[in-house]
Amino acid sequence: MDVTGEDFHRLLPSLLEAIADAQFVAIDLEFSGISNQQKSRSRAPKQYAGGKASLQDRYEEERSAAEKYQVLQIGITCVGESLNR
């Protein structure tokens, strides 16, 4: 479903219901710029255990980008389980 600023308030109840009913929700943000993740990942041995970012580390990187750049678009994927296979 495509949601614009014009129909956001009308579709909000359906969006909230889909999120509440989902077993898994993925969120994708499109920013007005690109952060230099290579720079922050160059600290991998010290900052990230095993060279991989934790969920908290990724959150902080995305938060930093959101503070630096404007969020242009948000994508939300709601995944449910089908019991009728």
Side-chain angles (χ1 to χ4, degrees), residues 57-76:
D57 293 329
R58 290 293 298 139
Y59 167 79
E60 290 173 9
E61 287 177 359
E62 295 303 323
R63 179 179 172 210
S64 174
E67 290 173 344
K68 186 184 274 188
Y69 303 106
Q70 185 177 24
V71 176
L72 301 176
Q73 184 174 321
I74 300 173
I76 300 174

Side-chain angles (χ1 to χ4, degrees), residues 6-33:
E6 295 173 0
D7 57 10
F8 176 77
H9 292 291
R10 180 177 59 82
L11 295 173
L12 182 59
S14 298
L15 291 169
L16 294 175
E17 183 178 351
I19 292 169
D21 292 344
Q23 273 80 37
F24 179 81
V25 177
I27 299 173
D28 176 46
L29 301 174
E30 301 296 330
F31 295 105
S32 61

Side-chain angles (χ1 to χ4, degrees), residues 36-85:
N36 188 357
Q37 293 180 355
Q38 185 65 31
K39 181 179 176 184
S40 64
R41 296 238 167 91
S42 66
R43 301 177 298 203
K46 186 175 183 180
Q47 183 177 359
Y48 303 133
K52 294 190 176 185
S54 69
L55 186 58
Q56 183 64 33
D57 293 329
R58 290 293 298 139
Y59 167 79
E60 290 173 9
E61 287 177 359
E62 295 303 323
R63 179 179 172 210
S64 174
E67 290 173 344
K68 186 184 274 188
Y69 303 106
Q70 185 177 24
V71 176
L72 301 176
Q73 184 174 321
I74 300 173
I76 300 174
T77 301
C78 300
V79 179
E81 181 179 7
S82 175
L83 300 176
N84 301 328
R85 291 187 176 178

